[in-house]
Amino acid sequence: MSGRGRPFVVMAIVGVMLLVACSVRTPRDGFTAARRGELANQAGTAGEQAGVQGGTATASGQASTNGGVNGAGGATSGAGGTSAGGSSGVGGPTGGSAGATSSGSTVGVTKDTITISAMAGFSGNYGAILTTIYDRGFGTWVDDVNAHGGIYGRKVVAKKVDNQDTVEGGVSACKTIQNNGSYLAVSIVGFGGADVSSADCLDRAGIPDLGLNLSGWSNRWARVYSAGDAGKQAKPMASYIRDVIGDNGRIGIIHTNDPVNNASRAGLADELHRLGMNLVHEETVSVNQASYVAPMTNMKNARVTTVALIENTNEVIGTIRDAKSIGYNPHYSGNFWVTDESSSGERALYDGIKALRNYSSTNSPGYADYVAKAKKYGHGDVITTGTAALYGIGLLAGQVLQNAGPNPTTAGLPGAIESIVNYNNGLTMTLSFGKGVKVAEVGMWPIQCCNSDNTWRGIGDPKTFF
Amino acid sequence: MPTVVLNGAFVGLVYGLLAVGLVVTYRTSRIINFAYGETGMLAAFFYFDMRLGRSTSTIQHDHGIGLALPAALLIGALIGLAMEWTIARPLRSNPTLNGMVATIGASLLFLTVATHRWGIQVRLTRPLVEGSGVRAAGLTISPSQLLIGGCALAILAALAALYRFTSLGLRFRATALNPYGAALSGINTNATSMATWAIAGALSALSAILIAPLVAPNVFFMTLLALRAFAAALVGGLTSIWGGFLAGVLLGVFEGVVAYKSPIAGVTDVIVAVSIIVLVVARPGGLVRAQY
C-alpha cells in the first residue's frame, strides 16, 4: 500500500474498532430484541369483544378523564372479561375515553374503522423475521378482533410501517404515520435508533406512541409511553435470585456494552443495592466477543456464586462455555437472551438455569389460546413464542383502544394508555402505567430450562417482585 | 494469569488465521478485502445446511463432512473469484481505496443475503472433531481449538511452500512485487490474481468452519473477528504472512490480558485500539517486512 493510503486504512480500522467499543448495539440475538418490549398483553379478547359489542354506548361513562375508571355503559362491558384460553383478563381497566368529542373529528377513527400503525424495521436486516412474526402474530390479533366485530363496532385497520432500522427511517415512519390517518402508533421494535427517532418525531407531531422495546428514553417526551423499559425488566431479577434461585450470597453481573444491556444492568444493580444484596463483581464485554475466559476468571476469583447474564444470546453461550472451560460453575440467571430458539441449540449449556422472560412459554395457557387462534385464522404455518408475543402486542394495542372508549379522541389516548394497570394477558409481561406514568412497571415470567422439546418451561406467574 | 494467556493464544490463532487470508489477497491486489469475514460466513452457513440441514435451531441430520466441507471450500473460492472478477480486476487501474470501498459494499450485500436466508439467530452447529479436550494451566482446551492450531500451522507451511517452491508461487511473488513488470515478463497477472482470490476465499471458508464451533455463530459471527484480523494484518505488515499471523496471536494474548487486568470495566476494546494506533505510528511498516 502506498504511504498515503496506509494511514487512511489504519484510521478506518481503528475507528471502526472504537465505534464497536463505544458502541451502538448490533443486535444478534434474533427474536430477543424484537421481544424486548413486547410484553404486553391484552386484557382478554373476550372482554374486549364484549366491550365492542356493547360499545355502542355513549358518552355516558366516558367523561372520566383519567381513564382509570369506567363509566357505565359500553366501556364497562369490556372489562373483566377473561381472555380466551384462560389468560386473565385485564382486570378491569377500561376506561372511559377521555374525550367526548364525536369520533368523526378524530384522526384515524371513522364510524366503521379505527386505524393503527405498527412500526418495525420491516426492510432492515431483520426484516424477514419481523415480517413473519408480525404477519402471524399481530395478524392473528387483527383477524380475531375483527371477526368479533372490532373495537366498539369499528374494524381495526392495522398499517405496517417500516422504520428501516435507521434514524432516518424512523423519521420517515413518523411522517408516514402523520399522513396515513392513524389513531395510534405502536413501535414494535426499531434498531439503529429508529425507535427513538420515530418516537421523538411523533411526540413533536402530537401523536401518542406506545413504544415497546425502546432503546432510549427522553424525559421531555410528553406523548411517548414505554412498555418494556430495559431497566424495569431487569429489576425483578434481584428478588428472583434471592428468593427463587435461593442465593443471597455473592452476586456478579456480566453485561454487554450496548444501550439496552447497559440500561438493564443499571436497573438490576440498583435493585440489588436496594434489597441489600451483595453485588461483589461486575464485568463488561463486547458484542460478539471472541473469548470470555478473562472476565469469567475474574468472576471466579471474586468467588461469585450467582452470575446475572445481561447479555445477548451469542455472548451468553460463550460466557457459559468459557466458564466451564476454566472449571467454574456458578448459578446463572438472565433475561433478554432467553429464547426458545437458542435453548434448542444449547440445551446442554442452559439445562437447569432459572431466568426471566418478558413473554410466556409454550406451556402457558395463553400460548395454547394463541395457537388455536393462529390456526383458525390461517396463520398457523409459523407458530412460536415469538409470534405469540406479537399477538400479545396486538392484545395490548386492543386494550388501549378499548380503554379509549366508544368515542375515542386523540386527546384521550394518553389517558387510555395510562389506564393500563396490572395488565396481564397471559402472554406478554405484565404492565402497569398509571396516571402520569410514562414508563410502565414490568412483571417478568419466571422460566427454567427446559421442556422436553427444549423450549423454556414456565414455572410461575409473571411478577415485578419475587 | 497462565490460564488467560493460554486462552488468549488460542483466540489469537483465530485472528492469525484470518489475517493470513487477508495478507494473501493484499499482496497481489493491494486491496484489503473487507468482505473477507463475510465470505467465510456465507460458505460456513452453506456448509451447515449441507451437513446438518436447513433448520438453524435443530440438527435434522448429520451427513458428515465428506461432501459438505469440500463444497464449502469451493463456494468460498467461487465467491473469491467473483470478487476478483467484479471488483479487483475492473478497479485495478483505479486508486486502491475504490476497491476497498467496493469490498465494504460486498460485505453488506453478503450480510443482507445471509440475514434473509438464515435469519439472525444463533446457528446450531457441530465441530469438525468431537471430544472432551485436554486440560492445561487450568483451562480445558477443546479439540476444535487444537484443530485450529494444527490447521493454522499446516496452512502457513503450505503457503510458504507454495510461494517458495512452485512456479505458481513464483508468479504470485512476481505479481506481488511488481504487477506491471510481471505482466511484461509474460506472467498472466489476471490468472494469478484469480488464483489468489480463490485461495483466499477458500481459506476464509475453512477459517469460518473451524471457528464456528468456538463461538455462537450467527450471520455476524465473522464480522467482528475479521475486524481484529484486519488490525493484526496491519500490525504484522500487511504483506507478510508470518507477520500477520504472529500479530494475530499477540493480539489475542494482549486482549485477554487487558480484559483480565483492566481495572475499568468495558475499556478493553479502547485500550486495544489505542495500542494499535501507537504501534502503527511507531512502526509504520509493521512488525515484519515481507520477503518476496
Side-chain angles (χ1 to χ4, degrees):
Chain A
M1 175 181 290
S2 71
R4 286 178 189 173
R6 186 181 178 82
F8 169 81
V9 176
V10 173
M11 295 309 293
I13 290 177
V14 170
V16 173
M17 291 180 71
L18 282 168
L19 276 177
V20 169
C22 301
S23 82
V24 173
R25 164 186 166 73
T26 304
R28 291 160 291 93
D29 49 351
F31 294 87
T32 308
R35 288 173 185 145
R36 268 175 206 173
E38 306 166 21
L39 309 291
N41 317 307
Q42 119 193 32
T45 321
E48 187 173 273
Q49 289 147 7
V52 176
Q53 319 289 357
T56 37
T58 71
S60 52
Q62 308 159 1
S64 70
T65 49
N66 62 13
V69 199
N70 306 323
T76 312
S77 67
T82 52
S83 69
S87 54
S88 56
V90 184
T94 45
S97 63
T101 58
S102 91
S103 59
S105 63
T106 302
V107 173
V109 180
T110 70
K111 178 173 171 292
D112 301 318
T113 64
I114 187 162
T115 301
I116 63 174
S117 285
M119 292 179 285
F122 294 112
S123 67
N125 274 343
Y126 319 107
I129 294 165
L130 286 170
T131 300
T132 297
I133 62 175
Y134 173 87
D135 288 347
R136 273 67 171 189
F138 207 80
T140 297
W141 169 72
V142 172
D143 289 349
D144 189 45
V145 166
N146 289 338
H148 289 83
I151 306 283
Y152 288 111
R154 297 183 181 92
K155 300 277 188 186
V156 172
V157 178
K159 298 199 172 180
K160 192 158 66 172
V161 179
D162 182 15
N163 64 29
Q164 302 166 42
D165 282 344
T166 64
V167 170
E168 299 78 10
V171 174
S172 172
C174 163
K175 302 293 182 191
T176 300
I177 291 171
Q178 287 181 52
N179 294 304
N180 73 0
S182 290
Y183 174 62
L184 170 69
V186 179
S187 174
I188 295 173
V189 66
F191 299 116
D195 54 350
V196 174
S197 67
S198 60
D200 195 65
C201 171
L202 287 166
D203 190 66
R204 290 169 192 270
I207 300 173
D209 175 23
L210 181 59
L212 297 132
N213 187 39
L214 287 178
S215 61
W217 177 258
S218 169
N219 285 329
R220 75 177 165 70
W221 286 339
R223 297 171 191 80
V224 179
Y225 288 85
S226 175
D229 174 79
K232 299 279 189 186
Q233 289 192 49
K235 275 177 62 181
M237 201 186 305
S239 56
Y240 186 68
I241 289 171
R242 185 185 64 184
D243 299 332
V244 178
I245 293 176
D247 185 359
N248 196 17
R250 302 173 68 82
I251 313 300
I253 298 176
I254 181 168
H255 83 280
T256 305
N257 186 19
D258 64 36
V260 172
N261 284 303
N262 286 342
S264 186
R265 178 241 144 234
L268 174 58
D270 287 349
E271 185 69 357
L272 287 169
H273 289 135
R274 193 183 73 80
L275 297 179
M277 295 174 71
N278 194 16
L279 175 57
V280 295
H281 191 74
E282 292 194 61
E283 286 286 335
T284 306
V285 298
S286 304
V287 172
N288 246 353
Q289 189 167 304
S291 170
Y292 303 85
V293 165
M296 293 311 282
T297 301
N298 285 330
M299 285 282 181
K300 184 180 183 184
N301 292 342
R303 292 179 288 116
V304 168
T305 49
T306 294
V307 177
L309 302 164
I310 310 297
E311 302 173 299
N312 307 308
T313 305
N314 300 56
E315 291 97 56
V316 165
I317 293 171
T319 299
I320 300 176
R321 193 179 287 170
D322 283 358
K324 284 182 186 293
S325 79
I326 58 172
Y328 178 45
N329 297 293
H331 295 295
Y332 292 105
S333 194
N335 48 7
F336 296 145
W337 51 272
V338 191
T339 66
D340 290 338
E341 288 76 15
S342 68
S343 60
S344 353
E346 303 295 342
R347 170 72 181 261
L349 283 180
Y350 293 170
D351 217 6
I353 289 179
K354 289 179 179 173
L356 294 172
R357 193 158 78 175
N358 57 16
Y359 56 99
S360 65
S361 45
T362 54
N363 61 326
S364 68
Y367 186 78
D369 172 50
Y370 157 70
V371 171
K373 286 180 178 170
K375 289 178 178 173
K376 177 180 177 183
Y377 295 109
H379 300 301
D381 56 333
V382 179
I383 292 178
T384 66
T385 45
T387 58
L390 261 289
Y391 174 73
I393 290 176
L395 295 179
L396 173 63
Q399 186 62 52
V400 171
L401 300 180
Q402 176 79 16
N403 290 356
N407 292 318
T409 64
T410 301
L413 196 43
I417 297 174
E418 289 173 13
S419 65
I420 299 283
V421 176
N422 296 326
Y423 177 69
N424 177 12
N425 63 15
L427 277 176
T428 58
M429 59 192 160
T430 60
L431 291 172
S432 274
F433 283 98
K435 186 169 173 57
V437 176
K438 291 190 165 51
V439 181
E441 291 296 325
V442 173
M444 300 286 282
W445 292 86
I447 53 173
Q448 182 172 22
C449 183
C450 286
N451 290 312
S452 57
D453 61 357
N454 293 332
T455 57
W456 290 82
R457 182 174 65 252
I459 55 174
D461 294 327
K463 293 181 180 175
T464 55
F465 189 90
F466 288 89
Chain B
M1 181 62 102
T3 304
V4 173
V5 171
L6 182 61
N7 180 72
F10 277 99
V11 172
L13 284 174
V14 171
Y15 298 155
L17 193 59
L18 293 172
V20 166
L22 288 168
V23 171
V24 166
T25 311
Y26 180 80
R27 280 168 64 106
T28 305
S29 63
R30 293 294 186 269
I31 288 176
I32 294 180
N33 179 9
F34 283 97
Y36 185 73
E38 287 73 20
T39 300
M41 175 273 296
L42 275 181
F45 270 70
F46 278 115
Y47 161 82
F48 299 147
D49 279 1
M50 285 182 282
R51 182 181 170 187
L52 305 171
R54 290 189 59 178
S55 170
T56 56
S57 56
T58 57
I59 292 180
Q60 297 165 321
H61 47 67
D62 189 347
H63 291 308
I65 64 172
L67 177 65
L69 184 59
L73 299 185
L74 181 63
I75 288 170
L78 289 174
I79 294 172
L81 278 176
M83 291 187 67
E84 196 278 339
W85 194 62
T86 57
I87 294 175
R89 193 180 302 183
L91 297 177
R92 192 176 293 162
S93 57
N94 293 310
T96 53
L97 193 57
N98 294 15
M100 287 192 268
V101 171
T103 63
I104 292 174
S107 74
L108 294 175
L109 174 67
F110 294 165
L111 280 176
T112 303
V113 169
T115 302
H116 282 271
R117 173 74 170 75
W118 291 288
I120 55 172
Q121 59 270 45
V122 173
R123 180 67 155 90
L124 185 59
T125 183
R126 191 166 278 178
L128 287 172
V129 286
E130 310 263 6
S132 55
V134 297
R135 196 95 184 134
L139 179 73
T140 300
I141 302 164
S142 70
S144 291
Q145 287 175 301
L146 294 171
L147 183 63
I148 287 179
C151 283
L153 294 176
I155 288 166
L156 282 173
L159 285 174
L162 174 72
Y163 277 93
R164 182 65 56 191
F165 302 118
T166 68
S167 69
L168 180 62
L170 187 62
R171 279 177 276 157
F172 282 168
R173 287 155 55 200
T175 306
L177 193 59
N178 186 336
Y180 300 105
L184 287 172
S185 302
I187 293 174
N188 184 342
T189 52
N190 282 343
T192 54
S193 177
M194 287 173 64
T196 302
W197 280 80
I199 289 172
L203 206 50
S204 176
L206 180 60
S207 304
I209 291 166
L210 287 169
I211 294 165
L214 297 182
V215 297
N218 64 3
V219 296
F220 303 106
F221 86 101
M222 288 289 284
T223 304
L224 292 183
L225 292 176
L227 200 57
R228 293 286 203 278
F230 293 139
L234 267 175
V235 170
L238 262 179
T239 48
S240 168
I241 290 172
W242 282 101
F245 180 75
L246 181 64
V249 175
L250 291 176
L251 180 59
V253 173
F254 180 62
E255 210 175 47
V257 171
V258 169
Y260 181 64
K261 286 292 185 185
S262 170
I264 306 169
V267 298
T268 305
D269 287 341
V270 176
I271 292 174
V272 170
V274 170
S275 304
I276 290 169
I277 292 175
V278 171
L279 196 57
V280 171
V281 169
R283 197 173 168 84
L287 295 177
V288 181
R289 294 211 179 270
Q291 298 288 316
Y292 292 100

